[in-house]
């Protein structure tokens, strides 16, 4: 299964300790990647401690890694994040990149819809297996011709795709309080069914 990404973006927060596992410490921050349209995607990253030396606020980084999901039991939410496997500083002013390649299985019936402006959209949930036997559950969004094709995908169908990770904010009411939330998904550029 393929789950590979490369981004170039700017660190927007100081590193924070996230958790420890098997005696190893992990840290989080957010990296801003600018789209060609000028929209900023603010992407969460988790990195092992040994890769943190280049990660400083406002530094521009090249990151190679994978897009992962974590089922947070306390809140019953699925958290998405970039797991860092390689990182290095790059020259300031270098153009942002945001590329991801995934191969996985459709694990939920695709949802086809029209936006208020009539744009065709399809939401797909992809299960991407890791080497350790676990799976990451990655939400995909497809547009227009891709959406038409994705609406016909079957649960269990294997697909291969490339795209970019995007963030979007929305408002949600929790316990009577309206708070701003952020959703992450892969905007698909191209995909193919491995069963065609």
């Amino acid at each position: 299964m393929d789950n590979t990404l490369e981004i170039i973006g700017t660190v927007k927060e100081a590193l924070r300790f996230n958790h420890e596992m098997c005696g190893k410490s992990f840290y989080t921050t957010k990296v801003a990647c600018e789209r060609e349209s000028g929209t900023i995607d603010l992407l969460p990253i988790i990195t092992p401690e040994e890769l943190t030396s280049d990660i400083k606020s406002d530094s521009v980084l090249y990151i190679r890694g994978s897009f992962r999901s974590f089922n947070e039991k306390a809140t019953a939410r699925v958290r998405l994040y970039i797991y860092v496997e390689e990182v290095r500083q790059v020259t300031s002013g270098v153009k942002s990149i945001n590329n991801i390649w995934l191969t996985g299985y459709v694990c939920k019936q695709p949802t086809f819809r029209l936006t208020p402006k009539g744009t065709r959209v399809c939401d797909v949930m992809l299960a991407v297996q890791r080497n350790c036997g676990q799976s990451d559950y990655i939400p995909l969004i497809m547009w227009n011709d891709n959406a038409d094709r994705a609406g016909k995908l079957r649960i269990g169908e294997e697909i291969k795709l490339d795209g970019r990770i995007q963030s979007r904010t929305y408002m949600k009411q929790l316990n009577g309080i309206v708070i701003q939330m952020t959703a992450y998904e892969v905007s698909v550029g191209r995909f193919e069914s491995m069963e065609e």
Side-chain angles (χ1 to χ4, degrees), residues 162-173:
D162 64 63
R164 65 176 165 74
I165 303 169
Q166 67 182 24
S167 64
R168 61 181 169 80
T169 57
Y170 63 98
M171 304 309 283
K172 183 171 183 171
Q173 187 167 347

Side-chain angles (χ1 to χ4, degrees), residues 3-180:
N3 183 345
T4 308
L5 62 82
E6 291 182 314
I7 63 171
I8 292 178
T10 305
V11 178
K12 289 299 182 184
E13 297 177 355
L15 276 172
R16 290 188 321 265
F17 175 79
N18 186 265
H19 68 281
E20 188 174 301
M21 188 168 63
C22 301
K24 205 173 183 179
S25 295
F26 294 85
Y27 293 82
T28 63
T29 187
K30 291 194 176 165
V31 173
C33 291
E34 185 174 0
R35 300 182 202 171
E36 287 184 18
S37 66
T39 300
I40 302 291
D41 291 306
L42 196 56
L43 308 176
I45 68 166
I46 290 183
T47 182
E49 185 172 25
E50 66 266 19
L51 297 179
T52 59
S53 61
D54 284 336
I55 303 175
K56 297 173 177 46
S57 291
D58 297 321
S59 58
V60 180
L61 301 177
Y62 164 84
I63 294 172
R64 185 184 57 77
S66 55
F67 200 34
R68 296 190 179 179
S69 65
F70 172 74
N71 200 355
E72 195 173 70
K73 292 176 184 167
T75 62
R77 291 186 60 212
V78 175
R79 299 260 182 208
L80 295 163
Y81 60 91
I82 292 169
Y83 180 77
V84 177
E85 295 166 15
E86 177 188 342
V87 62
R88 66 178 182 268
Q89 286 193 14
V90 295
T91 309
S92 185
V94 171
K95 184 180 174 186
S96 284
I97 63 168
N98 180 345
N99 299 315
I100 187 167
W101 300 269
L102 297 170
T103 303
Y105 296 92
V106 176
C107 62
K108 196 171 153 186
Q109 186 62 44
T111 306
F112 183 87
R113 58 192 163 85
L114 292 173
T115 67
K117 293 183 179 179
T119 303
R120 303 178 317 277
V121 180
C122 190
D123 298 303
V124 177
M125 185 63 72
L126 194 70
V128 180
Q129 294 175 336
R130 292 189 207 170
N131 293 335
C132 62
Q134 291 181 304
S135 291
D136 293 300
Y137 296 92
I138 312 293
L140 312 176
I141 187 164
M142 303 197 198
W143 305 90
N144 300 315
D145 292 345
N146 277 344
D148 296 338
R149 292 175 48 229
K152 298 172 187 165
L153 291 170
R154 299 175 317 278
I155 293 173
E157 192 166 348
E158 185 179 16
I159 64 172
K160 181 178 185 175
L161 64 91
D162 64 63
R164 65 176 165 74
I165 303 169
Q166 67 182 24
S167 64
R168 61 181 169 80
T169 57
Y170 63 98
M171 304 309 283
K172 183 171 183 171
Q173 187 167 347
L174 290 173
N175 301 321
I177 300 169
V178 177
I179 60 171
Q180 182 174 293

